[in-house]
Amino acid sequence: MSLDHDLVGSPSEPVTARWSDTETLLYALSLGYGHDDQLVDLRYTSENTAGVEQVVVPTYGVIMASGAGRGRSLGDFDRALLVHAEQGLQIHRPIPAAGEAQVTSTVIGMYDKGKAAIVTTEARAVDARTGEPLVTSTSSVFIRGEGGFGGEAGPRSDWQRPDREPDFTASTTTWPGQALLYRLNGDRNPLHADPEFAARGGFGKPILHGLCTYGISARLLLGLEGAGEPAEMREFNARFSSPVIPGDTLTLHAWDVGDGGFAFQTTGSGGRVVLDHGVSRFGSDPA
């Protein structure tokens, strides 16, 4: 078993991503919009309510940009040993409720962590009609057993938790079937549904998608009084640090760092950190 190191720096062929309001509404529902009476927001969950214009959860950009990487093998290894490590997203303009984009994916690094490897991929999505950039998604996966090839260890993060109590906190409880709904966004990895497959990866039961925890954290941040509007979210980046079991309660801890920026962590049951190194920014296009 080994990684295909020749992929580094080689862009994929462009892939067309198409979505309708069905997909963008499904994404919102799979994050819990409409499930918790205190967080019902018809902007995200309805396309035909009088006087309400549908708004897309900004982190849907990760789903929209993911198609270019599917079907492109990173090498020969047991996929039960692969977990999502980090996810970054730049949102260049609000995502329309329905649309079409051209997406190109490039493996930008394979890093040696000794007994494991980190593979980082960047996907760029542009509006299929105008060519204007929509989102840039940067995703890293952690693959056990694929390190030791003598490569670079990769870049180190300078993120630090602010040395004060959070300026904001918000909580929500996931539900036992949430991964079964979230998987309909396109990630059918059996790690999130099949108990035997999850056991091969060392988990007692199927776990929630890391990107579901990521999207829930964005939902909680967007729901805070004092955060920006969804159309103003320009960055949302985080590191996955611990798995979440469907049914866990998640709590967002956020710090206002000025200039439209927030640092954040998300904790799960027992106070363990499940999403770390969080950075979000509201304001102008970073591109």
Side-chain angles (χ1 to χ4, degrees), residues 225-244:
E225 184 176 350
E229 288 295 312
E232 299 170 339
M233 182 179 277
R234 292 292 174 259
E235 291 186 56
F236 198 79
N237 311 322
R239 175 178 294 179
F240 304 100
S241 56
S242 183
V244 172

Side-chain angles (χ1 to χ4, degrees), residues 16-28:
T16 300
R18 298 183 181 89
W19 65 97
S20 69
D21 55 21
T22 297
E23 284 74 33
T24 48
L25 292 169
L26 170 64
Y27 179 70

Side-chain angles (χ1 to χ4, degrees), residues 248-249 267-273:
D248 280 356
T249 295
T267 57
S269 299
R272 74 191 187 286
V273 177

